[in-house]
C-alpha cells in the first residue's frame, strides 16, 4: 500500500501552524500528498519550487448550495488561473474573518445577547467563531450546547433556526461558481468530510452527488464502517474518491488516512495519476 494524504494544511490556513517546509519534512516518506489550504493556494507555489515529493495542487474552499455551507477539496487545477480567482473571491484570512466577526456582532445585538468584549479580537490570529464563542454568555452556550468553535460554526452558518444563523452567501461563492472555475482550469471538486457536518450525512451527500466529481471517504476521526459506507456510496453513484487526515500540525496527529484498503487506493489512483506534479 502507498502512503497517500490528500488533505493537509499549512500555516496559510488559520487553523494550522506548520509551514510548508515543516509539512514536507513531516511527510517526507509519503508517496503522494496534497496541501489543501482553506481558501488559499499559496502553498502550491512553495511546493512547485521546493518539493521533492509527488504532489497535487490542492485547495479546500468554502462554497454554498441552497443556503448551506460545505467544504470542498479541489485538486489538479491550473495554479495561476485559480490563484487569481481565489485572491479576488476570498480576500485575505483577516479580511474575511473580520467580515464574519462583524456579522456575528450584528446578530448578537439584534438578539440582545450581551458579549464579553474585554479581550480584543485580532482576525489575523483567531477565527471569528472562536472569538465570539469565548465572548458568549455561558447560559447561551449551555442552552445550544456550543462545546467548541467547530460546533458553533456549523450552527452559526448552517442552522436556519439558530439565533445566530448566517447565510454565508454574503461571503462565500456558490458551489456552481466554484465548480465552473475549477473545471475550466482542468481540476476536480470533491465534497470534504461528508460525515462531519451537522446535518444527516445522507442528505448532505444527496444534495451534492449530481454536482461534485467525488467525495472524501476518510478524514479523521472516522470508523472503518463509515469509510466503507462512503466508498460504497461513491461507487454506486459514479463518484471519484479522495482521502486524507485534515492534518494541521496541531490536533490531527495521525499522518495516514484510517481504514484504507487496496480497493480504495486503486479507486483513488484511477484519477490521481493524471494530476501528479
Amino acid at each position: 500500500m502507498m502512503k497517500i494524504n490528500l488533505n493537509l494544511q499549512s500555516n496559510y490556513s488559520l487553523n494550522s501552524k506548520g509551514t510548508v517546509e515543516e509539512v514536507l519534512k513531516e511527510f517526507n516518506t509519503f508517496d503522494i500528498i496534497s496541501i489543501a489550504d482553506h481558501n488559499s493556494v499559496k502553498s502550491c507555489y512553495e511546493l512547485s519550487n521546493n518539493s521533492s515529493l509527488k504532489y497535487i495542487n490542492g485547495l479546500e474552499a468554502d462554497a454554498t448550495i441552497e443556503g448551506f455551507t460545505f467544504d470542498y477539496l479541489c485538486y489538479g487545477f491550473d495554479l495561476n488561473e485559480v490563484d487569481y480567482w481565489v485572491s479576488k473571491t476570498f480576500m485575505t484570512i483577516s479580511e474575511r474573518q473580520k467580515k464574519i466577526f462583524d456579522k456575528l456582532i450584528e446578530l448578537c445585538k439584534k438578539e440582545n445577547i450581551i458579549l464579553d468584549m474585554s479581550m480584543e479580537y485580532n482576525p489575523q490570529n483567531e477565527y471569528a467563531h472562536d472569538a465570539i464563542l469565548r465572548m458568549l454568555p455561558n447560559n447561551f452556550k449551555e442552552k445550544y450546547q456550543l462545546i467548541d468553535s467547530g460546533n458553533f460554526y456549523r450552527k452559526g452558518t448552517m442552522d436556519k433556526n439558530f439565533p445566530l444563523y448566517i447565510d454565508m452567501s454574503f461571503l462565500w461563492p456558490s458551489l456552481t461558481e466554484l465548480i465552473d472555475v475549477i473545471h475550466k482550469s482542468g481540476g476536480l471538486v470533491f465534497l470534504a468530510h461528508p460525515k462531519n457536518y451537522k446535518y444527516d450525512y445522507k442528505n448532505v451527500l444527496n444534495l451534492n452527488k449530481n454536482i461534485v466529481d467525488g467525495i472524501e471517504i476518510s478524514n479523521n476521526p472516522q470508523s472503518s464502517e463509515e469509510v466503507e459506507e462512503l466508498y460504497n456510496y461513491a461507487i454506486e453513484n459514479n463518484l471519484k474518491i479522495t482521502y486524507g487526515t485534515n492534518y494541521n500540525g496541531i490536533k490531527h496527529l495521525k499522518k495516514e488516512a484510517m481504514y484504507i484498503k487496496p480497493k480504495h487506493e486503486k479507486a483513488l489512483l484511477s484519477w490521481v495519476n493524471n494530476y501528479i506534479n
Side-chain angles (χ1 to χ4, degrees), residues 179 188-191 194 204-217 229-242 264 267-268 270-271:
I179 288 177
L188 301 171
V189 178
F190 294 70
L191 173 66
V204 172
L205 287 167
N206 289 334
L207 186 63
N208 283 274
K209 71 176 181 180
N210 294 321
I211 308 173
V212 297
D213 299 298
I215 61 173
E216 186 178 36
I217 67 167
E229 191 173 5
L230 289 171
Y231 170 77
N232 289 334
Y233 181 92
I235 297 303
E236 291 166 5
N237 290 280
N238 197 31
L239 293 167
K240 295 176 174 61
I241 68 160
T242 186
H264 303 147
L268 180 74
S270 67
W271 67 268

Side-chain angles (χ1 to χ4, degrees), residues 7-10 13 15-16 23 35-38 60 246-248:
N7 192 346
L8 307 175
Q9 275 89 51
S10 75
S13 296
N15 67 332
S16 180
V23 173
I35 299 180
D37 280 313
H38 291 278
E60 185 166 352
N246 205 31
Y247 181 92
N248 61 17

Side-chain angles (χ1 to χ4, degrees), residues 74-78 179 181-189 213 275:
C74 308
Y75 299 116
F77 45 79
D78 179 273
I179 288 177
V181 169
I182 298 300
H183 280 182
K184 283 182 177 178
S185 68
L188 301 171
V189 178
D213 299 298
Y275 293 92

Side-chain angles (χ1 to χ4, degrees), residues 59-174:
L59 161 71
E60 185 166 352
D62 288 281
T64 64
I65 177 173
E66 296 186 17
F68 302 102
T69 300
F70 299 113
D71 299 328
Y72 295 94
L73 290 163
C74 308
Y75 299 116
F77 45 79
D78 179 273
L79 184 52
N80 291 329
E81 289 182 22
V82 171
D83 184 28
Y84 174 77
W85 177 80
V86 166
S87 300
K88 179 181 67 173
T89 302
F90 293 107
M91 305 169 288
T92 66
I93 291 175
S94 57
E95 286 173 337
R96 60 180 179 261
Q97 290 306 314
K98 183 63 165 57
K99 284 182 175 290
I100 297 171
F101 181 81
D102 290 343
K103 178 67 72 172
L104 286 168
I105 291 290
E106 176 187 321
L107 291 170
C108 286
K109 289 179 179 178
K110 182 179 177 182
E111 296 294 327
N112 295 314
I113 299 171
I114 307 300
L115 299 174
D116 176 5
M117 301 188 70
S118 58
M119 186 184 300
E120 188 176 347
Y121 172 55
N122 184 345
Q124 292 183 328
N125 300 324
E126 188 178 22
Y127 279 122
H129 283 80
D130 281 309
I132 297 295
L133 184 63
R134 62 175 167 77
M135 296 176 180
L136 284 168
N138 287 332
N139 60 345
F140 184 89
K141 289 187 279 191
E142 290 169 2
K143 179 179 179 180
Y144 291 100
Q145 300 180 332
L146 303 179
I147 57 176
D148 56 39
S149 60
N151 174 264
F152 178 38
Y153 173 75
R154 294 302 168 197
K155 287 190 173 182
T157 59
M158 295 180 69
D159 188 347
K160 295 180 181 180
N161 297 315
F162 186 68
L164 302 181
Y165 165 75
I166 305 174
D167 181 351
M168 291 298 291
S169 60
F170 90 98
L171 187 62
W172 306 137
S174 68

